[in-house]
Amino acid sequence: MPKRSTNMSGLQCLASENIWFDKQRYDEAEKRFYEGVNGPSTQVKTALQQAKGRPQKRQHRNSSSHAGDQELVSRMKSLELENQTLYKVVETMRAALQKLETRVAVLEKTPATAAVPCAKAAPVKQVENGDDDDDDDDIDLFGSDDDDEEAARIKQERVDAYAAKKSKKPTLIAKSSILLDVKPWDDETDMAQLEQCVRSVQMDGLLWGASKLVPVGYGIKKLQINCVVEDDKVGTDILEEEITKFEDFVQSVDVAAFNKI
């Protein structure tokens, strides 16, 4: 009985205490106690470290700003040097321009004096050119009327001289460029041999040129060959007749193009 009574009295005492309702205050007091014994907490340490680190950042900013100032000074110096060089270049260009202006002014004054003799010499050149261009104007076919016999003789001499002069002038030879299409019998025809046969046709005023093989269809190719002929000596009919004589290789000959030269 006495033990039970003592236990009941202890519980009643604990129930009457207010420690459980003010637990937060007691925890804070306990924390402060241990901080006083063991030193400041980690949060306080971090705050102190941050406070110590701020001056270092300021020092770093000061150093960076100082480096930036030095870079600006160096750039300004380089710009000043460039401006000086540009100024020198401009001065040299101005001097050259002044020299050119003086030379142009001198040249503009000098042709005025030389224009008069040039104008006087121009009609002489025109007369000379006129004499060279038309030699036939110097020939008088009618002669003089003072003496009939002498006039007839002089007239005949001048006619003969005129005829001799005309005969010496080269005559213009009319030529034509002809493009021929030579067709074989089939795809088994030897085209190299066919071209040799065509080129074997030789006559005065005929000159063979370039050639090529042009596909027609079904594996058959035609020979397209160019030639230059003198119109008075060679005609297309003669060419076709001579080429079609090679009956073993040639089926037909057509004129693809005909141009005067």
Side-chain angles (χ1 to χ4, degrees):
M1 289 295 293
K3 289 182 180 180
R4 186 176 295 177
S5 60
T6 55
N7 289 332
M8 290 295 293
S9 62
L11 290 171
Q12 290 176 357
C13 290
L14 289 172
S16 63
E17 293 291 334
N18 295 327
I19 187 172
W20 303 109
F21 300 101
D22 297 333
K23 186 176 184 303
Q24 186 176 0
R25 290 186 349 181
Y26 289 106
D27 290 339
E28 185 69 22
E30 185 179 2
K31 179 181 176 182
R32 291 178 180 176
F33 173 75
Y34 284 113
E35 286 180 355
V37 175
N38 298 326
S41 62
T42 56
Q43 294 180 356
V44 176
K45 290 181 179 181
T46 54
L48 292 172
Q49 290 177 358
Q50 290 178 358
K52 291 180 180 180
R54 287 176 184 174
Q56 294 179 356
K57 290 182 179 179
R58 290 178 182 175
Q59 291 178 358
H60 180 68
R61 290 177 183 174
N62 293 329
S63 62
S64 62
S65 63
H66 183 65
D69 293 339
Q70 289 181 350
E71 184 178 358
L72 287 173
V73 170
S74 62
R75 289 183 65 182
M76 288 176 67
K77 289 181 179 179
S78 63
L79 289 172
E80 288 178 355
L81 292 174
E82 289 180 359
N83 288 331
Q84 291 177 359
T85 54
L86 288 173
Y87 180 76
K88 292 179 181 178
V89 171
V90 170
E91 289 296 327
T92 55
M93 291 179 68
R94 285 179 179 174
L97 183 60
Q98 289 178 357
K99 290 180 181 179
L100 288 174
E101 287 178 352
T102 53
R103 290 186 65 184
V104 169
V106 172
L107 291 173
E108 287 179 352
K109 292 178 181 178
T110 50
T113 57
V116 176
C118 291
K120 292 180 180 179
V124 177
K125 292 182 180 178
Q126 290 178 0
V127 172
E128 292 176 358
N129 291 330
D131 293 336
D132 294 333
D133 292 336
D134 193 7
D135 295 335
D136 297 337
D137 295 338
D138 297 337
I139 300 173
D140 187 6
L141 300 177
F142 299 100
S144 177
D145 295 335
D146 295 339
D147 191 358
D148 294 338
E149 293 180 359
E150 187 69 19
R153 186 181 64 79
I154 293 172
K155 179 180 178 181
Q156 187 63 36
E157 288 178 357
R158 291 183 178 181
V159 169
D160 294 339
Y162 180 77
K165 184 183 287 187
K166 288 294 184 182
S167 63
K168 291 180 181 179
K169 290 184 178 180
T171 57
L172 182 63
I173 300 174
K175 294 183 180 181
S176 301
S177 176
I178 304 173
L179 184 64
L180 299 174
D181 285 342
V182 183
K183 297 179 182 178
W185 288 105
D186 50 22
D187 58 344
E188 295 181 357
T189 303
D190 189 355
M191 298 304 295
Q193 186 66 31
L194 186 145
E195 184 177 355
Q196 289 181 3
C197 293
V198 172
R199 290 184 181 274
S200 65
V201 177
Q202 298 291 332
M203 60 184 70
D204 187 18
L206 173 63
L207 180 63
W208 292 107
S211 64
K212 64 178 180 179
L213 297 177
V214 180
V216 178
Y218 303 101
I220 301 173
K221 296 181 179 179
K222 66 180 178 180
L223 175 66
Q224 197 169 73
I225 187 168
N226 188 19
C227 64
V228 177
V229 299
E230 294 182 10
D231 295 342
D232 295 337
K233 297 179 180 180
V234 182
T236 56
D237 297 336
I238 299 173
L239 283 175
E240 292 178 4
E241 183 180 353
E242 292 294 328
I243 294 172
T244 51
K245 287 181 180 180
F246 301 99
E247 298 178 353
D248 295 337
F249 300 97
V250 180
Q251 178 187 5
S252 63
V253 179
D254 298 324
V255 176
F258 186 92
N259 298 313
K260 290 285 186 180
I261 299 176

